[in-house]
Amino acid sequence: MKKVLITGASGMLGAAMVAQWKGIFEVYATGHSQFDHNTAEHYLLFDLSQQSYENLSAFVNPDIIVHCAAITNHEYCESKPDMAKLVNGESVRKLLVQFPQSKCIYISTDAVFPPKTHLADEQTKPNPLSVYGQSKALGEQYIADSSERGITIRTTIVGKNTNEHKHGSFVEWIVYSLKESTSISLYDDVIFTPISIWSLIDELQWLIEHDTYITDYSIFHIAGSEIVSKFDFGYELAKQLQLDLMS
């Protein structure tokens, strides 16, 4: 059974990975906070901004690292660019140095491209305009320089947090706003290809089970099969959940 370290397990994607991979992999998880409904049997509170990662190697020596921990709040990143770079980018370098025998799957974002870039593929050159995108592009560069020890996954996920202290996802914002009869604005000219966290986890599981691909390729784009505007996504979500569309 492969030993997998999941960073960011107090976040939406990481927590779902822990729950879905129990019994499939030997899962070790780190997070920035403790929370109810944490299903990890091996869990370490860990701050990615700290200088040394030695205590992390005392916790686990993984076969695979799935690095999905990140500061994703764009406004926070813009106000604290040094912290964004430290957590979202430099953490990749530190993990690769601390675990020289481990392979790393780095979860990146479509924010490494300008906002209205449509249908970018793995050969499209990143040109991030936001601090968040720049910090993730830094992490991608460390993966590219890692002597084929890792891959970058660019994606746009949607889903629900199991951590009740983190309810800031795009889907949750739409659902909770409409439930509270709060008016929201969604753009019909902002296009994306969202994938659910559960579908992405299935794809990542396949990659871990066939981990030769983690050395053969450097970048994968994993996305949903449909191109949709933010407005149409929100509208269909509200319809499916029978929420008040007149809010």
Side-chain angles (χ1 to χ4, degrees):
M1 185 178 291
K2 287 189 173 72
K3 190 177 295 184
V4 177
L5 169 63
I6 300 169
T7 70
S10 58
M12 180 174 69
L13 178 59
M17 282 182 188
V18 170
Q20 195 156 321
W21 287 348
K22 290 183 68 173
I24 298 174
F25 305 122
E26 187 178 348
V27 174
Y28 289 74
T30 70
H32 195 257
S33 61
Q34 189 56 267
F35 61 101
D36 294 338
H37 311 299
N38 181 359
T39 61
E41 295 181 5
H42 308 286
Y43 186 77
L44 177 70
L45 289 176
F46 192 77
D47 182 358
L48 288 168
S49 68
Q50 63 188 308
Q51 184 174 0
S52 173
Y53 281 16
E54 288 186 9
N55 59 329
L56 188 55
S57 59
F59 172 61
V60 62
N61 184 25
D63 300 305
I64 307 286
I65 302 166
V66 184
H67 187 26
C68 56
I71 299 172
T72 59
N73 185 304
H74 287 239
E75 292 181 358
Y76 181 92
C77 289
E78 292 294 331
S79 66
K80 297 185 180 297
D82 290 342
M83 181 59 73
K85 176 181 176 181
L86 188 62
V87 172
N88 294 350
E90 292 297 331
S91 62
V92 179
R93 177 184 60 82
K94 292 177 183 179
L95 286 169
L96 291 169
V97 169
Q98 193 65 45
F99 298 105
Q101 304 304 317
S102 303
K103 296 179 180 179
C104 183
I105 299 175
Y106 176 55
I107 307 300
S108 190
T109 170
D110 59 0
V112 298
F113 304 111
K116 293 192 177 182
T117 302
H118 298 323
L119 300 179
D121 62 21
E122 288 84 350
Q123 283 70 49
T124 304
K125 186 176 180 180
N127 181 27
L129 302 182
S130 67
V131 171
Y132 170 64
Q134 292 163 8
S135 67
K136 297 297 282 186
L138 175 62
E140 290 191 7
Q141 188 59 53
Y142 283 127
I143 290 292
D145 295 340
S146 69
S147 300
E148 299 185 335
R149 286 178 45 218
I151 59 173
T152 288
I153 303 295
R154 293 182 184 142
T155 189
T156 302
I157 56 173
V158 291
K160 184 180 185 302
N161 280 284
T162 57
N163 183 348
E164 62 183 14
H165 301 296
K166 293 187 177 182
H167 281 165
S169 75
F170 180 53
V171 166
E172 289 167 330
W173 172 68
I174 294 173
V175 170
Y176 295 144
S177 295
L178 294 181
K179 281 186 174 181
E180 295 171 3
S181 299
T182 301
S183 179
I184 61 174
S185 297
L186 296 171
Y187 295 100
D188 59 8
D189 62 344
V190 177
I191 309 299
F192 71 144
T193 51
I195 184 171
S196 77
I197 54 174
W198 302 282
S199 294
L200 176 62
I201 290 168
D202 287 340
E203 299 299 323
L204 295 175
Q205 179 178 324
W206 188 92
L207 281 170
I208 293 172
E209 291 171 342
H210 302 79
D211 63 357
T212 54
Y213 285 90
I214 299 177
T215 57
D216 289 345
Y217 301 94
S218 60
I219 298 172
F220 286 112
H221 285 194
I222 302 181
S225 60
E226 296 185 30
I227 304 169
V228 64
S229 72
K230 293 289 182 74
F231 174 83
D232 288 337
F233 177 86
Y235 184 83
E236 287 300 321
L237 176 67
K239 274 180 52 179
Q240 292 295 322
L241 296 179
Q242 298 181 340
L243 298 174
D244 183 4
L245 291 169
M246 299 305 292
S247 297

